[in-house]
Amino acid sequence: MTFGQQNSLPESFQLLDRAFNAGINFFDSAEMYPVPQRAKSQGRSEEYFGRWIRDRKIPRDRVIFASKVSGPSGQMTWIREGPKCLDASNITEAVDKSLLRLQTDYIDLYQIHWPDRYVPMFGETEYDPIKQFCSVSIEEQLDALGRAVDAGKIRYIGLSNETPYGIMKFLQVAERLPGYPRIVSVQNSYNLLCRNFDSGMAECCHHERVSLLAYSPLAMGILSGKYLSPDGGPADGRLNLFKGRYSEGASRYNISNTIIKQATAAYLEIAENYGIHPVSLAIAFVLRHPLVASVVFGATKLWQLQEVVDACGVKLSPEIVADINKVHSRFPNPCP
């Protein structure tokens, strides 16, 4: 999501090379990336990934590529006038344009970035029925996705930023209407500061065999500890660099929030007590979850990528997990 904004094409290639050579083969993007979203940069992240595959002559079956169609926004007027909705024509156009940017035959996993209905997201916690708007039926969305699957344009489908209701409705419709594709994954935020998934979502995913792709495992870099430094963290850190321009950063990951600072400091203390790098603590915590299929993280520098790669080999002891849960009971989900 940083390729084409924070990272140039050569820098993106370096990061992809290092990740691939380290054994990472799952890459996630979206039609709206990079962020913060702008008309002149929209789609570059997909384009850069496609160019990398071709330039490095990587066999297509060696990588698993995921992308997403944007839900209704009204703010990104350069993407299908908003987008206004997730009807069949919008989904079909989004798939075709992503394939054109990628210059590849298919997308392995295609996800709905956020629902075509009102749901509390990005820091909101309470559902307000008054905010509901007229939305496109799930039947129409699945029909369009199913046609893309049948055409060989995408292989599997998933959801993102979803709720238990949304997951079960998509599964219900797919079960009721033979031939419609079944969702295989949901990409939601999950980290030490946001464990909302463990409530209703986890039960749904467990019984329905839907995997979690956990995004923001470092809470947009907060759990690395860099924003707790006296100087407020590096100037090129995303929360500093795009302050006031990135809505999720302001609503969910507000580093001026005292509770977020206290919770983060407590997790950093655990890492120090056990001699573990803070990044390792955060990544290992997410990877130990039995429903997590993959961790979706972002890195703009090679050393950041290496920290995450190193973290993948770390296992947390029962004592560390117990200490983590004590902090969670004191500061439950400050970044919902």
Side-chain angles (χ1 to χ4, degrees):
M1 66 191 303
T2 64
F3 294 173
Q5 176 73 27
Q6 286 180 267
N7 292 109
S8 65
L9 182 63
E11 290 170 342
S12 300
F13 275 29
Q14 286 183 332
L15 288 163
L16 289 166
D17 287 342
R18 180 73 64 87
F20 186 70
N21 291 333
I24 294 173
N25 68 345
F26 176 75
F27 300 91
D28 178 78
S29 192
E31 65 167 338
M32 63 173 270
Y33 291 166
V35 294
Q37 53 269 38
R38 298 184 302 166
K40 66 178 183 179
S41 61
Q42 184 255 323
R44 280 185 192 164
S45 292
E46 288 180 326
E47 178 190 341
Y48 283 12
F49 183 81
R51 291 178 66 175
W52 173 72
I53 290 179
R54 296 191 303 277
D55 186 83
R56 298 301 194 253
K57 297 180 173 56
I58 294 173
R60 183 61 183 84
D61 60 1
R62 292 283 308 279
V63 295
I64 300 169
F65 182 75
S67 196
K68 314 180 197 74
V69 55
S70 298
S73 166
Q75 299 175 3
M76 295 180 290
T77 54
W78 53 89
I79 302 179
R80 300 181 300 283
E81 300 181 355
K84 291 182 177 180
C85 65
L86 273 174
D87 61 10
S89 63
N90 269 282
I91 291 173
T92 301
E93 183 179 338
V95 171
D96 289 344
K97 286 188 174 179
S98 285
L99 288 172
L100 189 62
R101 285 188 289 268
L102 288 161
Q103 289 293 292
T104 187
D105 295 332
Y106 63 90
I107 297 169
D108 294 281
L109 174 66
Y110 200 65
Q111 305 151 101
I112 294 177
H113 207 155
W114 58 87
D116 190 312
R117 66 181 195 282
Y118 160 70
V119 295
M121 289 188 299
F122 308 135
E124 294 182 324
T125 57
E126 297 182 0
Y127 180 83
D128 183 355
I130 297 177
K131 294 182 179 180
Q132 179 56 36
F133 54 84
C134 182
S135 56
V136 175
S137 70
I138 290 174
E139 286 83 355
E140 180 172 348
Q141 295 175 62
L142 279 178
D143 182 67
L145 292 168
R147 290 175 186 273
V149 171
D150 293 341
K153 297 177 181 180
I154 59 179
R155 293 193 164 182
Y156 299 95
I157 67 166
L159 304 175
S160 183
N161 297 300
E162 259 297 357
T163 66
Y165 170 82
I167 286 179
M168 295 309 298
K169 287 299 291 185
F170 269 86
L171 291 169
Q172 181 187 57
V173 171
E175 183 175 349
R176 177 167 52 85
L177 299 171
Y180 279 10
R182 190 180 192 277
I183 60 169
V184 299
S185 62
V186 60
Q187 186 175 155
N188 276 26
S189 175
Y190 188 75
N191 55 62
L192 290 169
L193 300 175
C194 177
R195 294 166 62 173
N196 291 3
F197 174 84
D198 288 330
S199 299
M201 291 285 289
E203 182 182 12
C204 292
C205 290
H206 171 64
H207 290 295
E208 299 296 335
R209 295 176 291 112
V210 175
S211 297
L212 172 64
L213 300 176
Y215 79 75
S216 202
L218 295 175
M220 210 172 281
I222 293 175
L223 289 166
S224 70
K226 62 184 179 183
Y227 294 112
L228 264 61
S229 61
D231 61 359
D236 61 351
R238 202 174 353 154
L239 292 178
N240 289 329
L241 185 63
F242 301 122
K243 190 173 183 178
R245 295 174 53 200
Y246 195 44
S247 58
E248 186 180 358
S251 59
R252 174 181 277 171
Y253 302 114
N254 189 341
I255 52 179
S256 65
N257 184 307
T258 302
I259 301 300
I260 293 177
K261 286 183 177 180
Q262 291 176 341
T264 302
Y267 290 123
L268 294 177
E269 184 178 356
I270 292 174
E272 183 177 3
N273 290 342
Y274 287 95
I276 300 175
H277 194 286
V279 170
S280 294
L281 182 77
I283 296 294
F285 171 77
V286 177
L287 285 175
R288 68 182 294 276
H289 198 295
L291 298 177
V292 168
S294 186
V295 168
V296 181
F297 68 94
T300 59
K301 298 177 177 62
L302 291 173
W303 61 264
Q304 292 174 329
L305 171 61
Q306 192 59 49
E307 285 183 347
V308 175
V309 170
D310 294 342
C312 292
V314 174
K315 304 296 182 183
L316 302 183
S317 68
E319 293 77 15
I320 297 175
V321 175
D323 285 351
I324 286 173
N325 288 332
K326 288 177 184 176
V327 174
H328 177 64
S329 67
R330 289 169 52 205
F331 307 106
N333 302 319
C335 297

